[in-house]
Amino acid sequence: MKKIQMVDLKGQYEHIKDRVNSSVIEVIESTAFINGPEVHSFQKELEEYLGVKHVIPCANGTDALQIAMMGLGLKPGDEVITADFTFAATVEVIALLGLTPVLVDVDPVNFNIDIEAIKRAITPKTRAIVPVHLFGLVANMDAIMEIAAEHHLYVIEDNAQAIGATYTSKNGTKQKAGAIGHVASTSFFPSKNLGCYGDGGAIFTNDDDLAHIIRGIVNHGMYIRYHHDVVGVNSRLDSIQAAVLRAKLPHLDTYNAARRKAAKKYSEAFAGVENIISPSCFCSTEDFGCASCDCHVFHQYTLRILNTDRDALVKHLNENEIPCGVYYPIPLHLQKAYLDERYKEENFKVTNQLVKEVVSLPMHTELDDEQIDFITSTVINFVTK
Ligand SMILES: *Cc1c(COP(=O)(O)O)cnc(C)c1O
């Protein structure tokens, strides 16, 4: 059996090596390292793929979130609601801009922001909601857009983990994750579903005015060279990363299908096993949770492990040379940087529980059946012993 990896970037690279190498060398030969033609072409190709009017490339996914919030003109004191169970980047940029993060609990079935919790958290100061499409599964955007419309709030999708996922609304409309809210951010960090070979990110919006504002913000607040109309930042995707992304974008659907296939095989093996809850969503009619449904692109395949010492399972997997991860081990509302006396523990029941139960198994485009069989039998033997 091939050695199991959490993410197999090398294996994926082998299939696209010729195109990547020649494109990267072309950029070097051209010396158009910053804002070269590769960046512009990638932007156009991604707009087309997502069905979104504007893609603004930037330096990373954290910048993308921050720039989206700057573009919306959010001001110190404005409250921004987001999920307690996510990567810290989301809450970090809210705090950095002097906005007030309002963390809320998540749903135990799909791990995404809890709709009722959003409603309870709205105050006259609330300006925006940031749903995170966690682990590759699109949040309940119908409900979130409805709440936002009712309360005149912006919706910023943190799409760092769900690029390529398709969301089907109640009325049957299909949209790509990141094309639904007022603005969205994504990350091209190497291990993301569409990863480059360094740092990268982008902001998406269908709003022409907002796109114009954001294009200035990423470039030191300049709309005319050396005229600084607003306080901006320096946040660019470099041409070498754009060349890598252009080589990978045509394969994104195939990559996500490979992830879904692996997820389906995992979920089939875990079906009916006591003490294991496989990932799921609300919109699927398929047999194995959301493993066959296009609103999930499995950035992570994350189980809940019940009545078992999760940390002992992690140790056991590692002893068997099965890498795994605990995303995330600590709720954001309990992180020192984000403590807030207004938070009450009884409002974070789900996150407090999930951090003790979750384990993410190897997930990438190169997993084979033999590896998945070994992983699932090792997990099952441990939790049922
Ligand atoms: C990765 C990630 C980010 C940050 O992206 P970077 O490119 O690493 O800055 C933000 N939000 C979520 C949910 C992420 O997973």
Side-chain angles (χ1 to χ4, degrees):
M1 189 174 63
K2 266 193 311 180
K3 186 171 162 38
I4 300 173
Q5 305 199 49
M6 193 65 186
V7 178
D8 185 2
L9 295 176
K10 185 79 196 295
Q12 192 186 57
Y13 167 65
E14 293 298 334
H15 302 295
I16 52 171
K17 194 169 183 167
D18 292 345
R19 161 95 201 253
V20 169
N21 290 8
S22 63
S23 314
V24 168
I25 300 229
E26 261 173 49
V27 173
I28 297 172
E29 299 275 355
S30 78
T31 72
F33 297 115
I34 301 290
N35 283 335
E38 289 293 306
V39 177
H40 188 71
S41 302
F42 172 64
Q43 172 199 321
K44 290 289 162 208
E45 287 158 9
L46 190 58
E47 284 167 356
E48 174 101 354
Y49 173 83
L50 293 167
V52 71
K53 270 174 96 175
H54 305 280
V55 165
I56 302 113
C58 67
N60 58 68
T62 310
D63 273 10
L65 271 169
Q66 174 177 332
I67 293 159
M69 290 177 201
M70 291 169 76
L72 291 171
L74 302 183
K75 295 278 176 318
D78 288 352
E79 294 180 1
V80 179
I81 298 174
T82 193
D84 190 35
F85 188 58
T86 176
F87 182 57
T90 325
V91 66
E92 177 177 82
V93 300
I94 299 172
L96 268 176
L97 292 174
L99 314 173
T100 306
V102 178
L103 295 167
V104 302
D105 212 357
V106 297
D107 182 278
V109 174
N110 64 19
F111 303 149
N112 277 323
I113 195 162
D114 182 285
I115 300 305
E116 294 308 313
I118 296 177
K119 291 183 188 162
R120 283 193 296 271
I122 291 173
T123 76
K125 289 186 178 167
T126 308
R127 289 287 172 276
I129 307 169
V130 187
V132 182
H133 304 316
L134 201 73
F135 303 150
L137 174 62
V138 187
N140 184 346
M141 290 305 290
D142 277 339
I144 292 167
M145 295 311 289
E146 237 168 70
I147 296 172
E150 188 184 329
H151 296 272
H152 308 287
L153 308 176
Y154 293 118
V155 175
I156 305 160
E157 292 175 73
D158 181 345
N159 196 30
Q161 300 190 1
I163 196 157
T166 303
Y167 182 74
T168 309
S169 298
K170 279 182 293 198
N171 65 13
T173 316
K174 283 185 181 290
Q175 281 168 294
K176 287 285 185 200
I180 310 165
H182 300 94
V183 58
S185 61
T186 201
S187 164
F188 304 121
F189 185 80
S191 64
K192 305 282 158 119
N193 291 36
L194 178 63
C196 57
Y197 294 166
D199 270 312
I203 303 130
F204 322 145
T205 184
N206 285 312
D207 181 328
D208 297 341
D209 296 335
L210 181 59
H212 174 73
I213 293 169
I214 288 174
R215 284 207 181 88
I217 291 174
V218 297
N219 189 26
H220 302 289
M222 284 194 285
Y223 298 90
I224 302 168
R225 208 163 168 76
Y226 300 118
H227 293 249
H228 304 274
D229 294 356
V230 296
V231 177
V233 294
N234 167 24
S235 190
R236 300 184 277 238
L237 179 72
D238 71 70
S239 306
I240 289 180
Q241 299 310 332
V244 172
L245 290 164
R246 285 192 76 200
K248 290 178 81 172
L249 181 59
H251 302 286
L252 180 57
D253 286 343
T254 316
Y255 291 161
N256 283 338
R259 288 173 176 273
R260 228 178 255 131
K261 184 165 166 262
K264 187 160 190 224
K265 193 156 168 59
Y266 274 135
S267 291
E268 281 170 1
F270 295 133
V273 178
E274 216 182 320
N275 296 335
I276 296 181
I277 302 182
S278 303
S280 195
C281 65
F282 293 130
C283 63
S284 176
T285 54
E286 301 291 337
D287 291 344
F288 295 101
C290 48
S292 317
C293 134
D294 59 4
C295 69
H296 206 324
V297 291
F298 291 94
H299 177 59
Q300 300 293 348
Y301 182 89
T302 303
L303 298 175
R304 287 176 63 192
I305 302 293
L306 314 181
N307 307 312
T308 307
D309 181 345
R310 188 268 322 270
D311 294 334
L313 169 64
V314 167
K315 191 160 166 274
H316 179 73
L317 292 174
N318 288 334
E319 281 163 4
N320 284 278
E321 295 194 24
I322 300 173
C324 60
V326 173
Y327 311 119
Y328 296 92
I330 305 169
L332 289 179
H333 81 277
L334 294 178
Q335 298 283 1
K336 265 192 210 154
Y338 305 111
L339 293 175
D340 186 324
E341 60 203 11
R342 288 177 303 179
Y343 293 144
K344 294 192 184 73
E345 284 313 303
E346 71 252 33
N347 292 335
F348 298 101
K349 283 203 186 95
V350 177
T351 306
N352 287 341
Q353 188 68 23
L354 289 179
V355 294
K356 291 184 241 158
E357 295 174 347
V358 289
V359 59
S360 299
L361 299 181
M363 176 49 77
H364 53 79
T365 56
E366 314 300 313
L367 281 169
D368 64 36
D369 286 358
E370 190 188 9
Q371 293 175 316
I372 295 178
D373 287 339
F374 179 67
I375 296 164
T376 52
S377 57
T378 309
V379 172
I380 292 170
N381 286 340
F382 188 86
V383 302
T384 57
K385 74 164 184 260

